[in-house]
Amino acid sequence: MKETHEHDHTHVAPSEPSVPQDHSHAMPAAAPHLHDHVDHRPAQIGPAEREAQSAIVCEGMCAGYFGRDVLDEVSFSVKRGEFIGIIGPNGSGKSTLLKVITGLLAPQCGYVEVLGEPPGQAPGLGYVPQIEAVNWSFPVTVFDVVLMGVYGKLGLFKRPGEADRRATLAALDEVGMRDYADAQIGELSGGQQQRVFVARSLVQNPKLLLLDEPIAGVDATSQHAIFTLLEERQKAGMTIVATTHDLSCVATWFDKVLCLNHRVIAYGPPDQVLTEETLSATFGSHVLVVPEAQSAVRSAQI
């Protein structure tokens, strides 16, 4: 016996789509301000700031993707030898800011100077991207990953020499990963992979080191090891800028904190910047100030 099935073929009009209820309870990042970049003329850098030999100078900088601003008139400067932390919610522009500084993304407007040169033109810049952005299935050893760090200074058609190989092993020693030199990079834990990429940047002996979420997904032991290593490099004269979501480390390690949510909310020493009001303005909700941020505030003000 043939069964008959009846179906409801009612269609929803395109102008009236059904939207599922949002249960995420996530606070959206502040909407960036859009303006006509043609008419935007930020103030030029004064002689006093140039005499200070800042590692980074940023004035009225706007940047984004596909015609939409992610960074809105961002202004700050970093002195040589400082250890700077950048905090802010997801999508606030932290990674975009690092890409502008490295020269990977051109700003829409404003003035940006890195080590006295336009972004992407100054030698002595090291960059550690987020580990999530790396293809870990690529068949390459730990040693080769770190050795790749020397290619930028070799020039065209030159191959690494014995001195470069010794420098690679020394960098692996510095991050405690020499015993894994022959291992495949994809076989390592997240903390080990991050150490390898830090070694890759250090083998260049950069004057300015940028790190995008260097302790994301990393255990407490690796976090302490990475920041201790960076602190030692800072004492030797390196300028370091790192983005992070971990507010507990902000007051401990950074000389200054840049609170970013598409625009600069606050910038200065942790004991002046890490207030509940500033963190609420940065992250968009007072809920995020408890308990991690409160602990950071107390540590900064002791």
Side-chain angles (χ1 to χ4, degrees):
M1 183 176 177
K2 190 174 181 179
E3 295 183 4
T4 301
H5 298 280
E6 299 208 357
H7 303 277
D8 182 2
H9 293 284
T10 303
H11 296 280
V12 177
S15 60
E16 298 178 0
S18 176
V19 180
Q21 187 175 356
D22 181 10
H23 294 284
S24 65
H25 304 294
M27 291 295 296
H33 171 68
L34 299 177
H35 62 266
D36 189 349
H37 300 286
V38 176
D39 297 330
H40 184 175
R41 294 291 184 269
Q44 292 297 307
I45 307 304
E49 289 171 298
R50 290 189 181 278
E51 291 174 3
Q53 295 186 337
S54 296
I56 302 171
V57 176
C58 190
E59 277 289 331
M61 186 270 288
C62 300
Y65 310 93
F66 309 110
R68 179 171 176 79
D69 289 346
V70 174
L71 297 174
D72 174 31
E73 301 192 39
V74 170
S75 298
F76 72 101
S77 63
V78 176
K79 294 180 181 178
R80 298 190 185 223
E82 287 186 319
F83 196 169
I84 305 298
I86 303 176
I87 63 174
N90 288 330
S92 61
K94 300 188 300 298
S95 296
T96 300
L97 178 57
L98 294 191
K99 289 177 181 177
V100 170
I101 296 171
T102 61
L104 295 174
L105 178 67
Q108 299 291 333
C109 62
Y111 180 93
V112 183
E113 183 179 282
V114 181
L115 297 174
E117 301 287 344
Q121 297 185 23
L125 177 65
Y127 174 53
V128 181
Q130 292 187 34
I131 60 175
E132 290 84 356
V134 179
N135 180 10
W136 298 112
S137 63
F138 191 78
V140 64
T141 66
V142 166
F143 181 88
D144 288 336
V145 169
V146 179
L147 185 62
M148 290 176 188
V150 307
Y151 278 89
K153 62 180 181 180
L154 290 178
L156 292 175
F157 310 116
K158 292 186 179 180
R159 298 179 63 84
E162 187 58 33
D164 298 311
R165 296 181 179 277
R166 289 197 299 269
T168 296
L169 291 175
L172 285 171
D173 271 332
E174 193 171 3
V175 300
M177 291 298 294
R178 182 163 181 165
D179 291 343
Y180 296 87
D182 296 326
Q184 293 290 315
I185 187 67
E187 298 174 352
L188 304 182
S189 68
Q192 291 172 330
Q193 290 171 342
Q194 193 64 276
R195 291 193 195 195
V196 172
F197 268 75
V198 171
R200 182 184 181 218
S201 66
L202 293 180
V203 76
Q204 308 170 45
N205 194 28
K207 298 176 183 177
L208 170 62
L209 178 59
L210 309 175
L211 304 103
D212 198 357
E213 299 288 351
I215 59 171
V218 174
D219 61 85
T221 300
S222 292
Q223 287 183 22
H224 188 270
I226 289 172
F227 274 118
T228 300
L229 169 62
L230 295 176
E231 186 179 53
E232 290 301 315
R233 282 298 186 117
Q234 181 204 7
K235 290 178 180 178
M238 184 181 292
T239 307
I240 304 172
V241 178
T243 69
T244 183
H245 278 94
D246 189 345
L247 296 179
S248 64
C249 72
V250 173
T252 304
W253 300 101
F254 298 136
D255 297 323
K256 291 181 181 177
V257 181
L258 177 68
C259 299
L260 186 70
N261 194 340
H262 298 297
R263 57 188 65 86
V264 175
I265 305 300
Y267 181 50
D271 60 344
Q272 298 178 18
V273 170
L274 294 182
T275 66
E276 292 192 11
E277 292 77 13
T278 298
L279 292 172
S280 294
T282 302
F283 290 94
S285 174
H286 69 280
V287 175
L288 292 176
V289 180
V290 182
E292 292 86 352
Q294 283 187 339
S295 177
V297 170
R298 287 194 295 268
S299 297
Q301 295 174 345
I302 291 177

